[in-house]
Amino acid sequence: MLRFGTSGVPLSSPKPGTVHGIRRARELGLDHLEMAWVNGVKMGDAAADAIAAQAKACDLSLTAHAPFFVNLCGEPDVVERSRSRLVETARLGARCGAESFCFHAAFYGKREPAEADRRIRDGLAQVVQEARAIGARIDVRTELTGKPSQAGSLAELLAWAKAVPGVLPCIDFSHQYAREQGRHNTYEEFAATLTAIEQALGREALERLHIHISGIQFGPKGERKHEPLKETAFAWKELLRALKDMRVSGWVVSESPAMEEDALLLQQTYRRMK
Ligand SMILES: [Zn+2]
């Protein structure tokens, strides 16, 4: 079973804030919400507890997106701040009842890929260790990123997940298409991605998968901007077909600017498929 939802509070929510967003998502018939903490995690424990209670009352699952300002491959002070942001996302996310959180692991910068990879693995291992030490029960997931200058290809995600126990992938299929210049846009290619995940991490990885989908535009440097599903060349219906045929379960987050409209479009299209 796939649960569909928005990234952030639905646009039609009458009031700001995640608690109201959860209620609105439930009214709309969505099953999930990703808390978009992309500009920083600023929340007290009482607010997190209120979110947890509301999500439970509405039977809405939650995930979180950690701040964008994370680079496990930067200078030592940047890595230190990145790690603390990630651990704080894990702590508060778990307190909200979120089952998973995702983040963009790093920029390569001027580092050699092998050196960048070593640093990222070290950083990930520390994040998992620190999150466990504070008892945060939440998936730690590196996201498939939209630009080749950002670490986070499918191959890298799977290698990190295999090498660092506790790390799992967040598969942004739209980013994969954008970072690879329009490849990965057919049923066969989507199915191949899912098969690669299953082969690397086992069937259970497909039974609890964190997925992002959006319309998207790309240029020579990869991702340019997200766009509504109705306007995009990204083959999201073929993707839904592959997810259905391979009986993938988990959370599908619409990162489209037409937030709930596109989350519902994905959900309805998926549910109508035999
Ligand atoms: Zn992201």
Side-chain angles (χ1 to χ4, degrees), residues 87 90-95 98 127-138:
V87 174
R91 187 186 75 80
L92 272 175
R95 189 152 185 147
V127 169
V128 169
Q129 190 190 12
E130 289 175 39
R132 283 194 180 150
I134 57 167
R137 287 169 56 91
I138 186 167

Side-chain angles (χ1 to χ4, degrees), residues 212-263:
H212 286 174
I213 303 177
S214 171
I216 198 161
Q217 292 176 11
F218 65 86
K221 292 178 181 168
E223 168 181 22
R224 270 180 34 199
K225 74 182 199 11
H226 288 203
E227 63 184 357
L229 294 176
K230 286 190 173 126
E231 295 168 20
T232 196
F234 178 63
W236 55 275
K237 286 183 193 164
E238 303 296 308
L239 169 56
L240 291 176
R241 181 82 256 168
L243 293 172
K244 187 121 202 179
D245 289 349
M246 294 182 70
R247 302 189 324 280
V248 174
S249 297
W251 317 283
V252 175
V253 178
S254 156
E255 286 197 320
S256 158
M259 295 170 69
E260 58 264 47
E261 188 185 327
D262 278 354

Side-chain angles (χ1 to χ4, degrees), residues 2-274:
L2 282 174
R3 300 179 74 113
F4 292 82
T6 52
S7 165
V9 173
L11 294 171
S12 59
S13 183
K15 292 183 191 164
T18 304
V19 166
H20 294 289
I22 289 168
R23 279 198 206 118
R24 181 60 186 151
R26 176 43 70 212
E27 275 172 16
L28 289 165
L30 295 169
D31 297 313
H32 184 76
L33 190 141
E34 180 151 298
M35 299 178 286
W37 295 339
V38 295
N39 296 315
V41 198
K42 302 174 205 88
M43 181 186 294
D45 288 355
D49 293 344
I51 289 170
Q54 190 65 56
K56 202 165 183 192
C58 289
D59 182 29
L60 214 80
S61 54
L62 298 175
T63 51
H65 194 306
F68 284 139
F69 192 73
V70 160
N71 186 3
L72 294 177
C73 216
E75 295 304 315
D77 58 320
V78 172
V79 173
E80 180 58 45
R81 285 201 298 274
S82 298
R83 281 214 317 269
S84 78
R85 285 189 183 99
L86 292 173
V87 174
E88 182 62 358
T89 303
R91 187 186 75 80
L92 272 175
R95 189 152 185 147
C96 291
E99 296 175 67
S100 174
F101 80 96
C102 61
F103 55 97
H104 311 173
F107 291 90
Y108 294 112
K110 293 195 174 68
R111 297 200 197 280
E112 295 294 323
E115 174 62 11
D117 196 64
R118 190 185 65 73
R119 284 168 185 259
I120 292 167
R121 287 175 192 220
D122 286 353
L124 291 173
Q126 285 194 44
V127 169
V128 169
Q129 190 190 12
E130 289 175 39
R132 283 194 180 150
I134 57 167
R137 287 169 56 91
I138 186 167
D139 295 356
V140 176
R141 294 190 185 250
T142 57
E143 179 173 336
L144 210 167
T145 51
K147 295 181 179 180
S149 58
Q150 291 173 297
S153 65
L154 177 67
E156 286 171 320
L157 261 51
L158 297 181
W160 297 335
K162 277 166 91 168
V164 185
V167 170
L168 290 165
C170 170
I171 306 297
D172 189 320
F173 287 94
S174 307
H175 279 169
Q176 187 182 32
Y177 157 81
R179 85 179 268 136
E180 305 209 12
Q181 303 293 310
R183 289 173 55 226
H184 302 288
N185 202 32
T186 64
Y187 176 87
E188 289 72 22
E189 288 166 311
F190 297 132
T193 293
L194 294 168
T195 300
I197 296 167
E198 182 171 11
Q199 283 173 353
L201 306 176
R203 172 71 205 171
E204 59 269 33
L206 295 188
E207 287 173 356
R208 182 184 172 92
L209 195 56
H210 189 162
I211 296 166
H212 286 174
I213 303 177
S214 171
I216 198 161
Q217 292 176 11
F218 65 86
K221 292 178 181 168
E223 168 181 22
R224 270 180 34 199
K225 74 182 199 11
H226 288 203
E227 63 184 357
L229 294 176
K230 286 190 173 126
E231 295 168 20
T232 196
F234 178 63
W236 55 275
K237 286 183 193 164
E238 303 296 308
L239 169 56
L240 291 176
R241 181 82 256 168
L243 293 172
K244 187 121 202 179
D245 289 349
M246 294 182 70
R247 302 189 324 280
V248 174
S249 297
W251 317 283
V252 175
V253 178
S254 156
E255 286 197 320
S256 158
M259 295 170 69
E260 58 264 47
E261 188 185 327
D262 278 354
L264 287 164
L265 181 59
L266 290 167
Q267 183 191 57
Q268 285 158 7
T269 307
Y270 176 83
R271 286 184 179 170
R272 281 194 201 111
M273 284 176 174
K274 290 278 179 290

